[in-house]
């Protein structure tokens, strides 16, 4: 561990990062989210020999929360162990965050070197495709 955990989310992500399954990219990522109940859920990236089947840490964390009955994501933290700079969630993960979080939800990005960046979902994904857009006409 190279970063000093200064929040419960970061502590949870650092602990979870040892379970990252990234034999192909060697790029370990862990995520921690605080859900509506207040409970923290973690996830790691899970790669596959069929590379396109890889699932990012953020989606694993959110799907774990939702499958436990949560319907709201209040905070998101991404810990990129092998990165010098913090990394934002990919477009697919931002779309999944948009499904369950407020537009101004804070996304905290931490790199293995301890660098920290913060952004709002609305900054990272300005035009969000939401369920209400499915209404026709
Ligand atoms: N990855 C994540 O898990 N989250 C991110 O925010 C960026 C990318 C993973 C997917 C893949 O296993 C590896 O990082 C390289 O793209």
């Amino acid at each position: 561990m190279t970063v000093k955990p200064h929040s419960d989310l970061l502590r949870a992500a650092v602990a979870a990062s040892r379970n990252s399954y990234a034999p192909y990219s060697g790029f370990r990522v862990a995520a921690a989210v605080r859900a509506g109940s207040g409970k923290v859920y973690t996830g790691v990236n899970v790669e596959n020999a069929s590379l396109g089947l890889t699932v990012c840490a953020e989606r694993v964390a959110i799907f774990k929360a939702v499958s436990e009955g949560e319907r709201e994501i209040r905070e998101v933290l991404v810990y990129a162990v092998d990165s010098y700079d913090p990394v934002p969630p990919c477009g697919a993960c931002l779309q999944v965050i948009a499904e369950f979080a407020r537009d101004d939800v804070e996304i905290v990005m931490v790199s293995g070197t301890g660098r920290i960046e913060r952004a709002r979902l609305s900054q990272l994904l300005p035009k969000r495709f939401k369920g209400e857009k499915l209404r026709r006409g």
Side-chain angles (χ1 to χ4, degrees):
M1 186 181 78
T2 51
V3 301
K4 217 186 273 147
H6 48 73
S7 73
D8 61 338
L9 282 191
L10 180 55
R11 205 172 305 119
V14 169
S17 66
R18 63 198 294 269
N19 297 325
S20 163
Y21 180 72
Y24 304 106
S25 71
F27 194 81
R28 294 166 294 169
V29 184
V33 299
R34 194 182 319 280
S37 71
K39 203 171 156 191
V40 171
Y41 296 83
T42 59
V44 297
N45 54 335
V46 182
E47 298 189 344
N48 191 276
S50 178
L51 301 176
L53 296 182
T54 292
V55 183
C56 297
E58 297 91 319
R59 270 175 289 158
V60 171
I62 292 169
F63 291 157
K64 277 170 70 178
V66 172
S67 65
E68 292 298 315
E70 305 281 0
R71 288 295 182 269
E72 194 193 342
I73 298 299
R74 291 191 178 155
E75 281 177 76
V76 177
L77 181 140
V78 190
Y79 175 49
V81 182
D82 299 299
S83 181
Y84 179 77
D85 286 318
V87 301
C90 77
C93 289
L94 290 171
Q95 179 63 29
V96 169
I97 293 168
E99 184 72 26
F100 298 106
R102 290 164 47 122
D103 292 344
D104 65 351
V105 67
E106 186 171 65
I107 299 174
V108 180
M109 298 154 272
V110 185
S111 68
T113 55
R115 289 169 180 257
I116 301 176
E117 283 176 23
R118 294 167 200 274
R120 305 271 171 196
L121 174 63
S122 52
Q123 294 173 280
L124 298 177
L125 191 67
K127 283 276 207 178
R128 294 169 293 288
F129 184 75
K130 299 296 287 277
E132 56 261 28
K133 302 225 167 75
L134 288 173
R135 276 198 292 271
R136 296 177 209 206

